């Protein structure tokens, strides 16, 4: 055997990294394979737990309110599965889901505190950060850099949206207009909102700058001071108390950069919630990779799991390939966290929906097999619909221990657990639940894998 380990986590998005960290901290020798980029790195980097019920227009005021509704209405939703436990009775299942989800979300918040993407927010309330479009979105935890603090509480607040010359992905004028209209309709502060552009290109005229170029530039020594000097002129001109930037104020140094801008200008500086390519998503990805390796986990980047050797009801070996070689990895337990269509865990084409490594059964929202379902016949013609796209619900059906099951409802392998976006039964984009499900299911899939490995010793 090329490599041996207690646990192999396949997939390095948030669900896999949470699962791997929990297992490594419990003393398991843990290996994590990641073939490429993840949906996690494309996300806005704000942790949604639950924002809406599918088809609802009004958001939930808090994750506990949303989770209670999910528990009552969708017994096979990944959050509901967290509540299935031998010790839980039907009377306390909702409380169990709330408490177990709270524990997992708080775990993440605590672990990211010393990282490059510390989080703020409270499990008991949804918060409403401002997006790059000037709209608001319900979410649970935001990166500290996205906190607009007392902007909407102070009667005298003045907000300035700042864009960068040559950076086409953010239109500060449009964002300012949308946001101001919203605030006027609500009759709340700020009542004065402006916008401006700043030219930070080090070599004169700039065009088509990307998020990553600007973020990397701002991580360099000295470049934030130049931005601070240019910003101060604009802040003083309009008397801005708060300044909103697109979320590109540095990759590793965003928190320090914001502190420096605040110190220099006297205004509260924050980042808006963005769209891909997402610098805060990349910060979250990097922070969790560092958390995982600090916990003692081994990260193998560029390793794609392709198949397995299974004996009776146990996976014994995973076969993975890199550009140069093939490796066989033996372990006692495995966690599958390969994501959905973006991560690469599931593919949908004219032959149906496939799980790509083990050929596990995929199911629809109604838990019918999706193996022979053709995606084009399963697509909502209305691209933007309140119920979202049905394909987003496709994924793996699991037992109460998060083990994928087959057509007979029996686990496919005793030692294979699944977590994150690969699971069926939820639609992150309409619910606003993506990273919350990834954290919670990663956390509890790991607990189940740890119990199995420790039992076997
Ligand atoms: C554009 C966009 C914006 C979003 N914004 C938000 C947001 O603001 N808030 C929020 O809460 N959620 C958001 N989401 C949803 C959220 O990002 C996902 O639900 C979540 O990241 C899923 O995490 P995951 O770990 O399950 O999967 P992923 O993050 O997709 O990770 C899957 C991993 O598996 C690896 N992999 C796949 N196949 C193999 C293989 N064979 N071998 C080895 N590795 C493999 C991939 O390389 C990747 O590392 C957004 C999603 C998108 C696409």
């Amino acid at each position: 055997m090329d490599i041996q380990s207690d646990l192999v986590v396949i997939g390095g998005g948030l669900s896999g990294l949470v699962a791997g960290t929990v297992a490594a901290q419990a003393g398991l020798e843990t290996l994590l394979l990641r073939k490429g980029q993840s949906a996690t790195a494309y996300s806005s980097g704000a942790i949604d737990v639950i924002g809406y019920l599918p088809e609802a227009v009004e958001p939930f005021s808090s994750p506990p309110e949303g989770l209670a509704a999910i528990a009552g209405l969708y017994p096979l939703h990944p959050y509901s599965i967290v509540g299935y436990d031998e010790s839980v009775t039907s009377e306390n299942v909702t409380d169990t889901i709330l408490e177990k989800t709270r524990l997992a979300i708080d775990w993440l918040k605590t672990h990211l505190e010393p990282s490059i993407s510390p989080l703020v927010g409270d499990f008991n309330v949804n918060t409403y950060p401002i997006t790059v479009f000037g709209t608001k979105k319900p979410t649970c935890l935001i990166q500290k850099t996205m906190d607009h603090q007392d902007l909407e509480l102070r009667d005298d607040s003045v907000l300035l949206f700042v864009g960068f010359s040559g950076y086409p992905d953010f239109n500060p004028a449009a964002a300012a207009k949308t946001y101001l209209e919203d605030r006027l309709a609500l009759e709340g502060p700020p009542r004065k909102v402006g916008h401006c552009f700043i030219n930070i290109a080090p070599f004169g005229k700039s065009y088509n700058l990307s998020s990553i170029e600007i973020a990397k530039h701002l991580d360099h020594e000295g470049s934030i001071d130049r931005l601070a000097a240019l910003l101060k002129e604009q802040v003083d001109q309009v008397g801005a108390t708060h300044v909103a930037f697109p979320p590109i104020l540095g990759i590793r140094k965003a928190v320090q950069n914001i502190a420096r801008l605040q110190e220099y200008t006297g205004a509260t500086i924050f980042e808006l919630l963005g769209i891909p390519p997402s610098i805060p998503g990349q910060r979250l990805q990097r922070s969790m990779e560092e958390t995982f390796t600090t916990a003692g986990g081994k990260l193998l980047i560029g390793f794609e799991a392709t198949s397995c050797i299974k004996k009776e009801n146990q996976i014994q070996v995973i076969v993975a390939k890199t550009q140069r070689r093939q490796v066989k990895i033996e372990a006692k337990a495995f966690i599958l966290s390969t994501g959905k269509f973006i991560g690469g865990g599931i593919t949908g084409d004219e032959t149906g929906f496939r799980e790509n490594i083990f050929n596990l059964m995929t199911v629809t929202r109604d838990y019918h097999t999706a193996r022979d379902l053709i995606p084009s016949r399963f697509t909502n013609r209305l691209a933007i619909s309140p119920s979202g796209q049905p394909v987003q619900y496709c994924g793996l059906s699991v037992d109460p221990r998060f083990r994928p099951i087959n057509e007979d409802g029996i686990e496919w392998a005793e030692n294979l657990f699944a977590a994150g976006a690969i699971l069926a039964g939820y639609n992150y984009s309409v619910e606003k639940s993506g990273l919350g499900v990834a954290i919670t299911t990663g956390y509890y899939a790991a607990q189940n894998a740890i119990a199995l490995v420790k039992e076997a010793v």
Side-chain angles (χ1 to χ4, degrees):
M1 198 52 49
D2 301 319
I3 309 175
Q4 285 184 323
S5 189
D6 288 331
L7 175 71
V8 173
V9 178
I10 311 168
L14 191 59
S15 59
L17 288 163
V18 167
T21 306
V22 169
Q25 287 175 339
L28 264 57
E29 208 182 333
T30 305
L31 210 68
L32 187 148
L33 314 180
R34 157 152 100 72
K35 77 166 178 181
Q37 202 46 283
S38 60
T40 302
Y42 291 118
S43 76
S44 75
I47 312 292
D48 301 344
V49 173
I50 183 80
Y52 294 89
L53 273 185
E55 310 206 22
V57 181
E58 283 301 313
F60 290 118
S61 61
S62 71
E65 185 196 7
L67 290 170
I70 291 285
L73 292 168
Y74 302 103
L76 295 177
H77 191 288
Y79 281 134
S80 301
I81 292 170
V82 167
Y84 295 124
D85 185 319
E86 278 123 42
S87 61
V88 178
T89 62
S90 54
E91 289 85 59
N92 62 10
V93 67
T94 303
D95 290 343
T96 306
I97 293 167
L98 293 195
E99 284 323 305
K100 287 176 93 173
T101 308
R102 182 196 306 276
L103 190 82
I105 302 294
D106 286 350
W107 177 93
L108 184 88
K109 191 177 170 194
T110 307
H111 279 76
L112 291 187
E113 188 52 42
S115 78
I116 57 168
S117 57
L119 300 167
V120 294
D122 180 350
F123 182 77
N124 291 318
V125 277
N126 270 331
T127 183
Y128 291 83
I130 308 169
T131 72
V132 288
F133 305 111
T135 54
K136 301 281 209 73
K137 172 193 138 153
T139 189
C140 180
L141 303 179
I142 50 174
Q143 295 192 6
K144 200 174 172 186
T145 55
M146 300 166 177
D147 188 0
H148 57 58
Q149 299 184 32
D150 57 1
L151 169 72
E152 293 170 357
L153 302 173
R154 271 174 65 169
D155 250 355
D156 64 342
S157 58
V158 176
L159 175 61
L160 182 65
F161 284 85
V162 179
F164 292 110
S165 305
Y167 173 61
D169 290 1
F170 175 56
N171 180 340
K177 182 170 180 289
T178 304
Y179 180 68
L180 182 61
E181 280 169 4
D182 184 40
R183 295 312 295 168
L184 290 176
L186 291 169
E187 297 182 4
R191 292 183 181 81
K192 212 170 147 194
V193 176
H195 80 275
C196 70
F197 284 94
I198 289 182
N199 187 350
I200 53 157
F203 309 113
K205 190 165 163 46
S206 54
Y207 55 92
N208 269 345
L209 293 172
S210 70
S211 309
I212 195 90
E213 281 169 326
I214 297 179
K216 277 187 173 169
H217 171 66
L218 293 176
D219 272 354
H220 280 139
E221 206 60 47
S223 49
I224 201 68
D225 289 334
R226 183 156 179 273
L227 173 61
L230 295 168
L231 180 64
K232 179 137 177 59
E233 286 171 27
Q234 302 287 344
V235 165
D236 289 348
Q237 210 173 343
V238 294
T241 55
H242 295 73
V243 177
F245 275 101
I248 54 177
L249 290 178
I251 301 177
R252 300 204 69 88
K253 287 199 188 160
V255 174
Q256 295 94 309
N257 284 346
I258 284 183
R260 178 76 188 113
L261 293 176
Q262 293 191 156
E263 189 190 353
Y264 203 91
T265 61
T268 298
I269 313 288
F270 64 95
E271 291 183 313
L272 300 161
L273 240 68
I275 49 169
S278 165
I279 302 298
Q282 292 183 31
R283 282 182 212 141
L284 179 64
Q285 176 78 37
R286 287 186 189 198
S287 300
M288 270 315 295
E289 286 180 1
E290 285 166 11
T291 306
F292 170 67
T293 49
T294 305
K298 287 201 191 83
L299 186 60
L300 300 181
I301 296 177
F303 282 69
E304 177 180 0
T306 51
S307 60
C308 74
I309 300 171
K310 189 179 168 199
K311 202 166 170 199
E312 291 163 5
N313 203 17
Q314 298 263 345
I315 298 176
Q316 297 195 316
V317 169
I318 285 287
V319 181
K321 64 170 189 192
T322 67
Q323 283 199 335
R324 291 205 206 112
R325 63 189 178 124
Q326 194 179 67
V327 285
K328 289 188 175 161
I329 310 169
E330 189 180 318
K332 297 178 186 122
F334 300 84
I335 294 179
L336 182 65
S337 51
T338 45
K340 203 162 274 174
F341 307 114
I342 294 176
I346 293 188
T347 307
D349 60 23
E350 60 284 356
T351 61
F353 288 90
R354 273 190 319 281
E355 184 285 312
N356 287 322
I357 305 173
F358 307 104
N359 196 22
L360 298 167
M361 177 182 69
T362 52
V363 296
T364 63
R365 182 183 190 174
D366 305 323
Y367 295 87
H368 296 139
T369 177
R371 271 199 172 128
D372 304 322
L373 209 67
I374 297 171
S376 57
R377 301 223 186 110
F378 193 52
T379 300
N380 197 334
R381 298 279 166 220
L382 201 61
I384 301 176
S385 133
S387 53
Q389 289 297 343
V391 294
Q392 290 288 0
Y393 288 93
C394 281
L396 306 181
S397 189
V398 288
D399 75 0
R401 295 172 71 189
F402 286 103
R403 292 178 301 191
I405 55 172
N406 60 25
E407 280 84 349
D408 305 322
I410 311 287
E411 79 272 356
W412 186 81
E414 250 171 36
N415 60 346
L416 177 67
F417 303 85
I422 197 163
L423 299 175
Y426 78 111
N427 182 336
Y428 76 82
S429 61
V430 292
E431 290 175 7
K432 305 294 173 220
S433 62
L435 293 169
V437 166
I439 297 158
T440 308
T441 58
Y443 189 91
Y444 290 104
Q447 302 288 0
N448 293 325
I450 293 163
L452 183 93
V453 171
K454 292 201 167 166
E455 255 168 45
V457 175

